[in-house]
Amino acid sequence: MTLQAVLLAAALVAFPFVVHSSFHLNAAILVFLFGAVAQAWNILGGYAGQLSFGHSVFFGIGAYTSSVLLWRYAFTPWGGALAGAFLAATVSLIVGSPTFRLRRHFFALATLALGEIARITFLNWTYVGAAIGLYLPLQYRNIGTYMMWDGKRPYYMVALGLCALAVALAALIDRTRMGPYLRAINADEDAARALGLHVLRYKQWAIATSAALTALAGSVYAQYVLYIDPYNVMTARISLLVVVIALIGGRATVWGPALGAVFIVLLSEYSRTVLGHLGEGYDFIVFGAAIMALSLYEPRGLYGLVRRVRSRPLPQIAGAAQDLIGPPSPVAAEAVLSIEDISKRFGGIAALDRVGLSVRRGEVVCLIGPNGAGKSTLFDCITGFQRPDAGAVRLRDASLTGAPAHRVALLGMVRAFQLVRVFSDLTVWEHMLVAQPHRNESVWAALRRSAPRVEGQGQALLQFVGLLDSRGILADELSYGQQKLLAFAMALMSGAEVILLDEPTAGVSPQMTQQLIGHIREMNRQGRTFVIIEHNMAVVDALAHRVYFMADGHILAEGTPEQIRGDPQVLEAYYGR
Amino acid sequence: MDFVLQAALNGVLLGLVYGLVALGLSLIWGVTDIVNLAHAEYLMLGMYATYWLWALAHIDPLYAIPLVVPAFFLFGYVTYRVLIRRILSAPMVSQIFATFGLLFFLRYSAFAAFGPNVRGIWGSRLEGSVPLGGLVLSLPKGAAALAALCTFAGLWLFLNRTRTGKALQATAQDHRVAQTLGIDTEQMFALSWGIGIGAVGVAAVFLSPFYQTSPAIGDAFLLLAFSSVVLGGFGTVSGALVGGLCIGLVENVLGALIAPTFKLLFVFVVFIAVLLVRPAGLVGK
Amino acid sequence: MHSGYGTREVIRGVSLSLGAGEIVAMIGPNGAGKSTLLRTIFGFLRPTRGTLHLDGESIAGVRPHQMVRRGIAYVMQGHNVLPGLSVEDNLQLGAYVRVDRQVRTDLDRLLEQFPILQARRRQKAGVLSGGERRILELARVLLQRPKVVLLDEPTLGLAPRMIDQVYDVVHSVKGAGVAVFVVEQNVRTALRHAHRACVLEQGTVRFEGRGEEMLQHPEVKRVYLGG
């Protein structure tokens, strides 16, 4: 890989010294600039999954900021570009934070609307030239510190540098923890929260970085074309073009958008010379059809088609496998988790009515009861997925009442879901990386590889559940039972003290049920606490220290499995009067 | 003050047309759960169809209705069968890409076929204006509003008074339950696309006499349609009507009061405000 | 029959038969596959193996909405009414596939039989309580004039009085010569009303039996409570 990269770099750097045609250099510059913007878009739209149809705003902010600073204040565009990047990042945070929670369509439409709002505003804002536009003052040409030259070669170098920066950033994201984190958030936000990821912070990082990079490209573009107006740099056309490039090239891939830019920009430029203005029409018809086809068959775009040919090697693991065998740990006397008087109503119906239970450290507590008893709702209420109307939850000495989902995970309680949730497009190994403990981990820290100790732990846990050889496979392709094992391994990976499992053996073959029982028992022996919702009484008998029986939102009985079996209220609840 | 009332009148007339476009969008979304990003491109193509019938065959827009509307019903039906049917159970991202690709495909087909120039009809039978109280009622706008109202009424009757219409509503509310009643939901999906795009066809024909078309008008109309839908609440005929009226009024009255060049900006600001404040059905994955 | 979701096999070899005018109950703990079985019979799921016959004719592979025309009515677990349509519209949709001329008289008769529906006929079905919705759903089934009725936990979340009312309607359905297959979680209710019952656990039928004898059977206890 490195040799290929060096050769590619050398070829690209040598290109403008070998080729002198203005037309080809211009095409190359546009490829690099739009490639950079597409890569930037990809950070937000491809990796993090927030599809933006309004990136023209950031492009325009970059172009206008550096140009206005140059025109009105003789401020160097090198600095102006940075100022533009900073401004774009700020705007993106203001705009993004409240809109992230919208469904994807509406986020896209909101960004489209914002793009149009920006365009109309700039069209009428005389300070920046309004509809007349802005002619960059030409007296700064050929003074290196003003990013303005006569010939195309210096622009080529700047644009190449920017594109290289964008690709390098994408590579950094892809190869460190940030990639799996963003893609997990993209695939299933709630499941990511349940593992302790602060989803909002990561999305904010993604949009700010994306905006800043796009703005830099806008500044360089302005310096290159020497005339900007809202139609050229702040139009929906640019926003949509960038989306097309990223989609056709391949979302959430390192080289995809750059590949897309090469393909699309070159095709546009060359078809325009051959077919005149019509060229612009015909090639976009093809792109439109291509995107429709890709949406049906190959969501990874051109890059995906290329990748299909080469098989993915098993990921290397840096750390040594840790020893999972530990000394047995007795059940403690004090409670590690205590739930008091949790109540929750939905409309007129009380799903939970003053439910309380406590779990001692090292116990396995099972929660059983008929359909609609409120068991999963209870889990939702204590893990921050639902807000209880009343009641309190404590984990050791920390209060969890009302805490958001990711905080509950960070404090040491992690849940697996009833219908197993795995992240589409992530491999088994990447799941383990996403599940690692996130306490004291800042967003920027995610731009590093996981610690060897962490990787060793992941390896050991995969070995433990028998998925080590499958670590390169996409979780989507595992069998249902294997996915349940993966979810279990992820819960263990998080280092959580209390693990909540919701029907872990539902839909799983009898053999795998035995496996799961064995794993839970072993982990419990080493001191992990489990609270398990189960319907399979054989599992309850095999694992539970204590059982709580719930029906109609109430706890009706508590005791050992034997005691529960003999309890008349339990019999009545199942059998009826 | 008079000019504000005039703007309000125009806003109401145009708003009814926006509502009609929004109705198509809302119907498609309600029944098939697909957000049709390419919706406004159909409007653009409908206007081109009307234009070319006028320019080449000298058919007045008024008489173009029986040609354009059934053609667009078919257009919607075919779109469903060829593309949409395959992405019904695909992840949302794939659905977005599919309709986005469709947007591009349609827009640039028009661009390649018709060129970038703006086209306008003149001399149609619906020209001119009449005085109304102290205000001026533009005839083409009035006719458009009337056509929109008639279409609204017709669709309301269809949905609420016919067996098929109720089956369509049933499919929109719960397509599983609809199947347990023997309703062929596949046919209902296709029908909703046919009606949705057909409604756009009506709007297109009646917009042509007073609105110019070009391949690029899709962006603005898409946001106008969506603004109407989110404002009025999607899923009901009256919702689209009310939403459209509100957007028409916001655009024209605020435009008259503050500045005409910012007309659309007000609409877009309202759109984003509604998305943030009233996100029922718009939030979450 | 074998059926499931993707790689997850839920129904592992179930064989059943239903006769006209019979009520057969299926009981068993959650996750056993009862709903999955009903979905497979109706055509929402494709069986991986097995056969399905109605009146001697194979109905394997028939699409769900066509099952209705063949004579199978299905009341799913949870919500079956269309909340935005009126009670009368909901009811009338029960006759969607009927082509005969007696729909109107049947409809009037049903409204007479169920005064609560008559009283609320113009209201949106969304305002009905849980028990009222069930009555509406069962009345709709009657209007369908099916040969087979599949009921998935019809008494879930209902008060005891409503449960009796619901089963009154079920009996009148059976009285018309219809075969009723009902999934119940409440053992006693199931065994009181059904001619025979079978117990589903982990996707297979453990055993079948009649009424009271099942109630005392230690296997039934084990399936629900372990031990």
Side-chain angles (χ1 to χ4, degrees):
Chain A
M1 188 61 208
T2 336
L3 179 63
Q4 291 169 328
V6 167
L7 286 175
L8 179 65
L12 287 173
V13 170
F15 183 80
F17 296 98
V18 173
V19 176
H20 298 290
S21 147
S22 178
F23 174 79
H24 291 113
L25 286 178
N26 177 60
I29 292 169
L30 290 178
V31 166
F32 295 143
L33 286 181
F34 281 99
V37 178
Q39 293 281 143
W41 182 92
N42 193 32
I43 295 173
L44 179 66
Y47 283 101
Q50 297 287 150
L51 302 173
S52 155
F53 283 7
H55 256 55
S56 59
V57 176
F58 309 132
F59 191 75
I61 287 179
Y64 270 101
T65 307
S66 62
S67 304
V68 168
L69 285 175
L70 179 65
W71 171 40
R72 287 187 181 269
Y73 305 105
F75 186 61
T76 168
W78 296 103
L82 288 174
F86 182 75
L87 190 57
T90 311
V91 168
S92 77
L93 286 173
I94 296 172
V95 150
S97 303
T99 50
F100 281 142
R101 65 207 168 106
L102 296 172
R103 276 177 77 183
R104 281 186 231 251
H105 293 106
F106 290 97
F107 180 79
L109 288 168
T111 53
L112 183 68
L114 285 164
E116 290 296 281
I117 289 175
R119 183 180 61 82
I120 296 175
T121 308
F122 272 67
L123 207 55
N124 291 285
W125 192 8
T126 44
Y127 179 73
V128 299
I132 303 171
L134 209 156
Y135 286 90
L136 271 68
L138 295 174
Q139 68 263 32
Y140 298 101
R141 266 171 312 160
N142 299 321
I143 312 170
T145 48
Y146 280 87
M147 210 199 288
M148 202 185 284
W149 301 278
D150 272 330
K152 290 209 170 11
R153 196 182 303 158
Y155 286 114
Y156 176 99
M157 290 305 178
V158 175
L160 173 62
L162 190 62
C163 193
L165 174 67
V167 173
L169 185 58
L172 184 65
I173 290 173
D174 200 65
R175 271 139 228 212
T176 59
R177 278 172 279 169
M178 184 66 86
Y181 287 3
L182 290 179
R183 283 159 51 223
I185 289 172
N186 184 358
D188 191 337
E189 244 178 66
D190 281 338
R193 277 196 190 98
L195 291 168
L197 284 177
H198 196 321
V199 169
L200 180 63
R201 292 262 178 275
Y202 282 96
K203 286 188 179 183
Q204 287 174 330
W205 181 88
I207 201 174
T209 309
S210 181
L213 193 51
T214 306
L216 290 178
S219 295
V220 175
Y221 182 79
Q223 292 299 122
Y224 175 57
V225 297
L226 297 174
Y227 165 74
I228 58 172
D229 68 9
Y231 182 68
N232 278 329
V233 300
M234 265 245 193
T235 166
R237 208 180 137 270
I238 291 182
S239 301
L240 301 183
L241 176 65
V242 163
V243 177
V244 167
I245 292 176
L247 288 188
I248 288 186
R251 295 184 304 128
T253 63
V254 175
W255 290 96
L259 261 180
V262 171
F263 180 64
I264 287 173
V265 175
L266 289 184
L267 202 58
S268 288
E269 290 297 304
Y270 292 117
S271 65
R272 203 189 311 244
T273 51
V274 172
L275 296 167
H277 230 306
L278 282 185
E280 182 168 317
Y282 285 119
D283 50 11
F284 280 105
I285 299 176
V286 171
F287 299 150
I291 292 178
M292 284 192 279
L294 287 173
S295 76
L296 296 175
Y297 302 116
E298 177 51 87
R300 297 191 138 211
L302 286 176
Y303 189 72
L305 294 172
V306 167
R307 266 269 289 254
R308 272 189 184 181
V309 179
R310 292 199 265 129
S311 64
R312 213 181 189 179
L314 279 184
Q316 308 284 49
I317 300 174
Q322 298 219 311
D323 234 350
L324 272 188
I325 311 297
S329 191
V331 175
E334 78 277 10
V336 63
L337 174 69
S338 57
I339 298 167
E340 280 163 47
D341 286 340
I342 296 283
S343 297
K344 179 76 184 168
R345 300 188 78 85
F346 291 111
I349 305 173
L352 294 171
D353 188 17
R354 280 174 297 142
V355 170
L357 57 91
S358 75
V359 181
R360 294 194 277 269
R361 185 192 311 269
E363 264 196 308
V364 175
V365 168
C366 282
L367 196 54
I368 66 174
N371 234 0
K375 308 187 294 294
S376 291
T377 311
L378 180 63
F379 269 17
D380 282 344
C381 282
I382 64 176
T383 53
F385 279 93
Q386 294 268 17
R387 241 207 159 83
D389 297 328
V393 184
R394 299 190 71 78
L395 185 69
R396 270 174 286 110
D397 40 9
S399 165
L400 292 181
T401 323
H406 73 274
R407 196 153 160 67
V408 171
L410 287 175
L411 285 171
M413 181 157 72
V414 159
R415 72 173 296 181
F417 295 87
Q418 184 177 355
L419 290 169
V420 71
R421 290 164 94 144
V422 292
F423 301 113
S424 2
D425 280 346
L426 263 68
T427 62
V428 169
W429 178 243
E430 287 170 335
H431 277 72
M432 299 307 280
L433 293 180
V434 173
Q436 67 181 274
H438 299 294
R439 207 183 296 201
N440 301 323
E441 186 191 45
S442 74
V443 174
W444 287 97
L447 283 175
R448 285 201 284 273
R449 269 190 78 142
S450 309
R453 190 182 48 80
V454 168
E455 295 205 353
Q457 171 83 338
Q459 188 182 2
L461 282 170
L462 284 181
Q463 176 84 300
F464 179 62
V465 296
L467 287 174
L468 189 60
D469 289 332
S470 314
R471 67 185 184 279
I473 297 181
L474 293 178
D476 289 336
E477 290 164 13
L478 294 177
S479 76
Y480 190 74
Q482 286 176 311
Q483 287 177 348
K484 288 234 157 176
L485 284 174
L486 178 60
F488 181 62
M490 287 202 285
L492 293 172
M493 182 78 183
S494 68
E497 211 174 328
V498 178
I499 298 179
L500 307 179
L501 300 175
D502 197 342
E503 301 194 37
T505 62
V508 163
S509 70
Q511 303 95 294
M512 198 152 281
T513 301
Q514 288 308 309
Q515 257 189 298
L516 263 171
I517 292 177
H519 293 326
I520 295 175
R521 199 182 270 145
E522 174 57 30
M523 281 297 149
N524 174 244
R525 199 183 65 87
Q526 291 179 32
R528 306 264 202 160
T529 311
F530 289 91
V531 182
I532 306 176
I533 295 177
E534 238 330 321
H535 286 288
N536 186 337
M537 287 312 292
V539 175
V540 176
D541 284 335
L543 288 173
H545 291 104
R546 275 187 308 131
V547 175
Y548 282 91
F549 181 82
M550 264 183 88
D552 290 325
H554 296 97
I555 302 260
L556 290 186
E558 181 222 326
T560 65
E562 261 317 302
Q563 290 169 334
I564 289 291
R565 252 195 286 290
D567 190 305
Q569 288 196 80
V570 173
L571 285 164
E572 189 178 303
Y574 274 127
Y575 269 40
R577 241 168 268 119
Chain B
M1 195 50 204
D2 241 2
F3 78 99
V4 175
L5 284 177
Q6 180 68 51
L9 176 64
N10 287 335
V12 165
L13 298 176
L14 281 175
L16 285 170
V17 180
Y18 298 156
L20 186 57
V21 179
L23 179 61
L25 193 60
S26 182
L27 189 66
I28 286 173
W29 184 4
V31 177
T32 60
D33 203 27
I34 299 277
V35 176
N36 184 17
L37 294 174
H39 201 68
E41 307 309 312
Y42 289 93
L43 182 72
M44 176 266 293
L45 288 174
M47 291 176 70
Y48 266 109
T50 314
Y51 170 80
W52 287 114
L53 282 173
W54 171 85
L56 297 177
H58 306 293
I59 298 178
D60 191 270
L62 199 56
Y63 304 130
I65 301 164
L67 295 169
V68 174
V69 176
F72 271 68
F73 179 91
L74 196 62
F75 197 1
Y77 188 89
V78 166
T79 306
Y80 173 78
R81 280 259 180 261
V82 170
L83 177 69
I84 304 300
R85 182 169 56 96
R86 297 177 216 266
I87 56 163
L88 279 182
S89 40
M92 200 190 299
V93 167
S94 291
Q95 293 179 342
I96 296 178
F97 293 163
T99 50
F100 176 68
L102 184 62
L103 182 164
F104 251 74
F105 183 75
L106 295 175
R107 184 180 294 189
Y108 287 96
S109 297
F111 194 95
F114 310 133
N117 303 315
V118 166
R119 314 270 183 173
I121 294 181
W122 42 268
S124 84
R125 305 193 89 215
L126 295 168
E127 260 192 349
S129 56
V130 292
L132 183 73
L135 308 171
V136 174
L137 172 64
S138 144
L139 275 178
K141 287 193 183 127
L146 189 61
L149 272 175
C150 290
T151 315
F152 267 110
L155 279 176
W156 189 90
L157 285 172
F158 170 71
L159 287 172
N160 289 291
R161 295 276 182 268
T162 68
R163 178 175 166 271
T164 311
K166 290 186 198 175
L168 201 59
Q169 284 196 69
T171 309
Q173 287 172 31
D174 193 326
H175 66 94
R176 289 247 135 165
V177 172
Q179 287 183 74
T180 65
L181 297 169
I183 297 171
D184 186 347
T185 45
E186 224 354 69
Q187 281 288 68
M188 292 298 133
F189 293 153
L191 182 64
S192 69
W193 274 78
I195 296 177
I197 302 298
V200 170
V202 175
V205 169
F206 281 96
L207 277 174
S208 300
F210 63 89
Y211 210 99
Q212 293 179 318
T213 184
S214 79
I217 62 170
D219 289 324
F221 271 104
L222 186 69
L223 288 172
L224 282 168
F226 272 106
S227 307
S228 308
V229 170
V230 304
L231 200 54
F234 83 100
T236 57
V237 174
S238 51
L241 184 66
V242 168
L245 280 175
C246 290
I247 291 301
L249 284 170
V250 164
E251 185 198 13
N252 288 280
V253 172
L254 286 184
L257 281 176
I258 304 177
T261 45
F262 287 113
K263 278 200 313 191
L264 286 177
L265 186 138
F266 300 132
V267 171
F268 302 153
V269 168
V270 166
F271 175 57
I272 293 178
V274 172
L275 282 182
L276 293 180
V277 165
R278 254 194 45 161
L282 307 171
V283 167
K285 298 296 177 196
Chain C
M1 177 177 290
H2 290 253
S3 172
Y5 306 95
T7 52
R8 188 176 131 211
E9 201 187 29
V10 176
I11 302 294
R12 304 182 186 158
V14 169
S15 300
L16 283 174
S17 62
L18 282 156
E22 255 200 306
I23 300 180
V24 176
M26 172 163 276
I27 59 178
N30 263 304
K34 311 190 290 295
S35 293
T36 307
L37 182 65
L38 290 186
R39 281 189 209 123
T40 311
I41 294 173
F42 191 69
F44 280 139
L45 283 178
R46 236 201 171 91
T48 48
R49 252 194 293 167
T51 61
L52 196 59
H53 289 88
L54 177 68
D55 267 347
E57 243 184 273
S58 169
I59 51 172
V62 171
R63 295 202 14 242
H65 70 272
Q66 286 163 340
M67 286 288 188
V68 180
R69 276 171 218 274
R70 302 287 191 121
I72 301 188
Y74 180 20
V75 181
M76 303 185 283
Q77 194 179 110
H79 303 296
N80 286 274
V81 298
L82 300 158
L85 290 174
S86 72
V87 168
E88 182 157 12
D89 280 337
N90 263 278
L91 193 53
Q92 199 148 26
L93 279 172
Y96 184 76
V97 296
R98 280 175 61 175
V99 292
D100 62 280
R101 297 169 145 277
Q102 288 161 322
V103 174
R104 190 71 238 175
T105 42
D106 279 355
L107 191 66
D108 290 334
R109 196 159 28 89
L110 281 169
L111 286 172
E112 231 186 274
Q113 189 181 343
F114 300 105
I116 184 70
L117 298 180
Q118 170 79 284
R120 291 193 186 261
R121 68 196 285 186
R122 301 222 187 283
Q123 293 179 353
K124 295 245 189 293
V127 307
L128 295 179
S129 73
E132 289 166 344
R133 291 187 194 202
R134 273 291 174 249
I135 299 293
L136 173 58
E137 290 162 13
L138 291 169
R140 196 168 63 189
V141 165
L142 287 170
L143 193 60
Q144 275 183 260
R145 289 212 191 162
K147 297 181 191 169
V148 176
V149 177
L150 308 172
L151 299 173
D152 197 345
E153 301 209 29
T155 60
L156 196 59
L158 295 186
R161 201 173 53 82
M162 274 322 308
I163 294 178
D164 290 329
Q165 251 194 301
V166 165
Y167 270 97
D168 281 340
V169 184
V170 174
H171 280 288
S172 71
V173 170
K174 165 213 85 179
V178 178
V180 178
F181 188 36
V182 56
V183 163
E184 263 296 350
Q185 215 190 143
N186 190 308
V187 179
R188 206 153 284 193
T189 310
L191 297 178
R192 188 182 306 142
H193 295 284
H195 292 103
R196 52 188 174 93
C198 51
V199 180
L200 191 73
E201 195 202 5
Q202 302 250 45
T204 55
V205 176
R206 292 292 167 195
F207 53 89
E208 290 183 49
R210 292 187 178 278
E212 288 302 311
E213 76 182 45
M214 292 262 292
L215 212 47
Q216 302 307 325
H217 205 300
E219 266 296 290
V220 176
K221 256 189 111 179
R222 182 198 59 74
V223 156
Y224 277 96
L225 300 168

